[in-house]
Amino acid sequence: MNKIFKFNLIFKLLISIVILCFINTSFALVQTNEFTTKSGIQVVLVTDKTTDLISISMAFTGAGSISDPLHKCGLSFTAMEMLYRGKIDGLNRHKRIRKLIKLGVLYGINLNISYDNLYINFKTPKENFTKTLQEVNKILMFRDFDIDDLNNIKTYIPQNTNINMSEETAFANKVLLNKVFPEHPYGNPINGMYDDKQTLTKTDLINYLDNSLAKDNLYISVVGDINQKQLEKVIDTTFSNLPKNTKLAKLPKPKLILNGDITTMYKDSPQSGASFIQDGIQTKHKDYYALVTLLDILSAKPFTSRLWYETREKRGIVYDIGADLQNSLKNKAFIIGRFKCDNDNVQTIIDIIRNEWRKIKEKGVSNQEFEDAKTGLIGSYALNFTTPESICSYLLFLKLQKINVDFIKNRNKKIKSLTLKDVNAATKYLTPEKLTFVIVGKPQLGNKTSINTKKNTNSNTNTNTSANTKIKTDTNFKTNTKTESKTKPKQ
Amino acid sequence: MENKLNINKIFKPYKPCKPYKACKPFILFFSLLLISNFALADNIKIAKTSLPKNIPTIKEKVINNNKSSIQSNNKPIAKKQLSANNKTKKLPITINNFTLKNGLQVIHIPNHRAPVVNHTIWYKAGSADSPYNKSGLAHFVEHLMFKGTTKYPLEEYKKIINKLGAVQNAYTYYDTTMYYVTVAKEYLDNIMELESDRMQNLVFTEKVIEKERSVVLQERRERIESNPIHKIAEAANATFFWLHPYGMPNIGYKHHIESYTLNDAKNFYNTWYCPNNAILVITGDIDLNTVKLLTHKYYEKIPQKILPKRDRPIEPEHHNVKGKLQISDPQINNVFLQRIYDAPNARTTNIKTALSLHVLAHILGDSTSGRLHKSFVEQFGIAHQITASFNGTFRDPYSFTISATPVNQSDLTFLETAIEYEILKLIKNGVTKEELRNSKNEIQYSFRYENDSLTSISEYIGLNLANGISLEDILSWLDIIENITLSDISKVANDYLKIGPRITVYTYPISYN
């Protein structure tokens, strides 16, 4: 009797385990829950009871700087700045921030514009989540802008940014994108053009907000101690007054124009900052992970990449250098890199970069390099989930890329399934001769290919690099000027 | 009357029951247990774990410094303590603390959000412990710590870190140098092996010294010489501190960096890098038993060293000598003002005094709610920004600083006078109850934010411990802050700000007239 009893127990236990294994739909590093609210807003939720704060990342897709109409470059940025810094419901920015701090929202409600999207991020004590979300809605729905405020915002140049004007690499990045996307808004600075911004009116801002912010382009990711039912109710109630559909114009697909040349912009600085670029492939491409693994070996991974070794370890001529696959833009991916070094060493580093590109194309990677990179990519994946903000940000990124969050449990399998052949085949995407550089500083260059430099100590610098490209820069190099993701998730 | 115990009431006779009914709760329990393991482990079966297979129960007790605040049973903090009540006084955190026989202090802070751990080791030696004619040597040694040991030469070390997918870095502060690694939890064993190895077996070669000297010079050019804000800070510190090594840059002066030798680096490493001069902080998804086993396995065998006296040049009396420093630079586009006051620090003074200064800095100079901001930025519009900061957790006394950017460059003198007036007003009339309450609430909220991240909480605890503040004191901060009174604020303002700044720094663009 006892033997039968024991057998029954073990048998039933095993059966239950087997059954339950197949029932669960999302094994993951974190338990995610994707749903669309009754009003059509897409949400990803991670219920985390270990924290008493709720982190939230929101994105309105298509509402970034690419939506700026012709001759109104900076409209989205200015609108975002008005919502962030301007007076809302009679309260100026400082008073609004103080109100939020009293709710425990210590870092405020952060608004950011990227090329594609408008982002909103904040963290709040869970007991004040509803109130904080209501504040967000108040900001997004506000239209009664003060004209004086608008005029101030249009001419606003943060003083501390001026004092930090030596960010040559960031400037080089801006100029580079302008050069390689001559006919597309990706080539315009996210914070807009000064002259265009002066022509913006209140009506422009209102039209932008009415057309760009709606339920059908709103994506939200949440991490915290809240369940789906509670969250859905709060979101639908709070954003009930958002219009259902956006009215954004469709844009042509961007085309990357790469000449493989070096453009320099003179700046009297002891060091030069550089940015370089070539074409890439998007996340859903079949060779995406093979290329990511290849780039890890070549240039993306600090301390161990070939590029790092050649420039820092072997020669000691650079402190930081890297290039990785930028895939967070909606319709374009590219490999973009940067470095900063003494003016004398710029040509050496450019030569090393091209040489490493060629070498890996010709000879591929070794099995050891491949295995190490693969293991590293697998092991580092968990680091996307160390803080609620990083989880939020990553899940939102997946949503915006139209990748189901179940991908999280399959991602490492994809990497594991790569072969050496796959990674070496991905070298076909590297184009050393098309690598295009922009250098800001006083570089000592060897063979310049297409350079038109102008000595100008004024930080407003105009440089024509081709007949069709006018690079106009502002002194307003704000940290809001960036590519899609705040912290690049480990792919 | 019978007084015998009714044994049948106490012990119910055993009856064999239907297996399914009896075992249903067990089936459910074990199934859920196994499922949760699958759920977490599905994506972390990356490599074989090297953790010991049979983990015995640790019988020794956890040594708790502050039993009222430290959870000794390793359970997550009760929800009621994390409730909406922002008057929570105690630090709502689970901390386990023990010390190995060789003196290594180990702090364990569990966090089971994701299967990740952060391993940070703090050596109680920073750039202020560098020899006087070799400023920045601590930072140079920090660079060399990534260059390999006898067991794991450079390439091998990098490969392992790369393979583990770990994120690592290091920072050199004035009083401490820290090395952190964040990694999937099953690799903690590997990380401890590497870290314990480089605590004792670092290899120094001329080739590496020469190369790394060049890299550090490159870093100095990028971070200091190309960056006006850091250039200003370097000059201001050099003026404020007459003798103390806080007056020298963390990264070192160029001519000192150029003079580093192999023996310099080796001597610094051999002097300060040992278990009895270190604190290990582990946060993340790992239990105390495992932490204890691993630390015993890898760190306990490292012998301790006799540490020299931490003999730094003492800052002399200033005899009320005050100074003004004017800085112009072609990379500077704006006028900037800094008023730097002498101030005590938490380690060498009454902790309440230090925390009162912290609260005062917040009330006076918070970038959005501070008095100075409300007056000069919002009300009068004469400054773009104005802040106050207090560096109270350094090992030795540092400073209290008020910094401002005037709207009009010509308003500089007026702004200075206005700041002075505002401080005297505060000393005379004190702060309001509302200001004090808001400040306390904000400080308490800020702790909740620190506690929400593996690395933030690790740094919060580790940095302060490494700077010589006891764990008991750190854990009692929120309590002490809650009990700070209006008169405490007035007292510290009177004691440290009334005398005026010892150094005032004016920064101008070249074009300033």
Side-chain angles (χ1 to χ4, degrees), chain A residues 208-225:
Chain A
Y208 160 75
L209 292 168
D210 286 344
N211 293 340
S212 313
L213 310 185
K215 288 174 187 160
D216 69 345
N217 72 331
L218 174 57
Y219 295 78
I220 302 179
S221 69
V222 179
V223 175
D225 188 5

Side-chain angles (χ1 to χ4, degrees), chain B residues 115-135:
Chain B
V116 173
V117 290
N118 175 280
H119 174 292
T120 307
I121 191 146
W122 299 82
Y123 291 100
K124 289 183 266 188
S127 59
D129 299 292
S130 306
Y132 215 63
N133 61 341
K134 301 275 178 181
S135 63

Side-chain angles (χ1 to χ4, degrees), chain A residues 162-181:
Chain A
N162 268 344
I163 215 164
N164 235 349
M165 265 290 292
S166 53
E167 196 43 74
E168 290 88 359
T169 315
F171 191 20
N173 191 64
K174 257 193 182 185
V175 172
L176 181 69
L177 291 174
N178 182 270
K179 181 181 158 59
V180 301
F181 289 112

Side-chain angles (χ1 to χ4, degrees), chain A residues 29-179:
Chain A
L29 282 163
V30 290
Q31 291 291 333
T32 54
N33 184 3
E34 276 185 283
F35 60 93
T36 306
T37 69
K38 289 182 182 132
S39 63
I41 296 170
Q42 298 205 41
V43 182
V44 184
L45 166 66
V46 175
T47 300
D48 179 2
K49 292 185 185 291
T50 67
T51 174
D52 60 345
L53 298 168
I54 295 183
S55 300
I56 186 163
S57 289
M58 298 166 58
F60 287 95
T61 56
S65 62
I66 52 162
S67 66
D68 293 346
L70 198 57
H71 304 305
K72 289 189 192 280
C73 178
L75 171 59
S76 54
F77 183 80
T78 306
M80 183 275 294
E81 284 282 292
M82 280 297 288
L83 298 181
Y84 185 62
R85 290 179 201 285
K87 220 183 272 183
I88 294 186
D89 279 353
L91 291 179
N92 67 21
R93 177 172 162 255
H94 306 293
K95 287 182 180 159
R96 287 198 281 127
I97 290 175
R98 282 199 285 275
K99 190 177 171 187
L100 288 169
I101 288 172
K102 280 194 178 162
L103 290 175
V105 186
L106 293 192
Y107 305 141
I109 293 169
N110 296 305
L111 280 81
N112 286 299
I113 281 282
S114 67
Y115 287 108
D116 286 328
N117 309 321
L118 168 68
Y119 290 97
I120 300 145
N121 301 291
F122 63 91
K123 202 162 171 173
T124 173
K126 71 174 188 178
E127 63 269 22
N128 294 327
F129 177 59
T130 307
K131 281 187 190 161
T132 313
L133 209 60
Q134 286 164 354
E135 287 299 316
V136 171
N137 187 58
K138 211 187 274 186
I139 290 168
L140 295 175
M141 297 312 296
F142 186 75
R143 300 291 186 264
D144 190 16
F145 300 118
D146 184 85
I147 297 294
D148 288 336
D149 242 4
L150 177 57
N151 291 332
N152 285 336
I153 296 281
K154 286 195 297 191
T155 55
Y156 174 68
I157 298 171
Q159 293 306 305
N160 59 346
T161 309
N162 268 344
I163 215 164
N164 235 349
M165 265 290 292
S166 53
E167 196 43 74
E168 290 88 359
T169 315
F171 191 20
N173 191 64
K174 257 193 182 185
V175 172
L176 181 69
L177 291 174
N178 182 270
K179 181 181 158 59

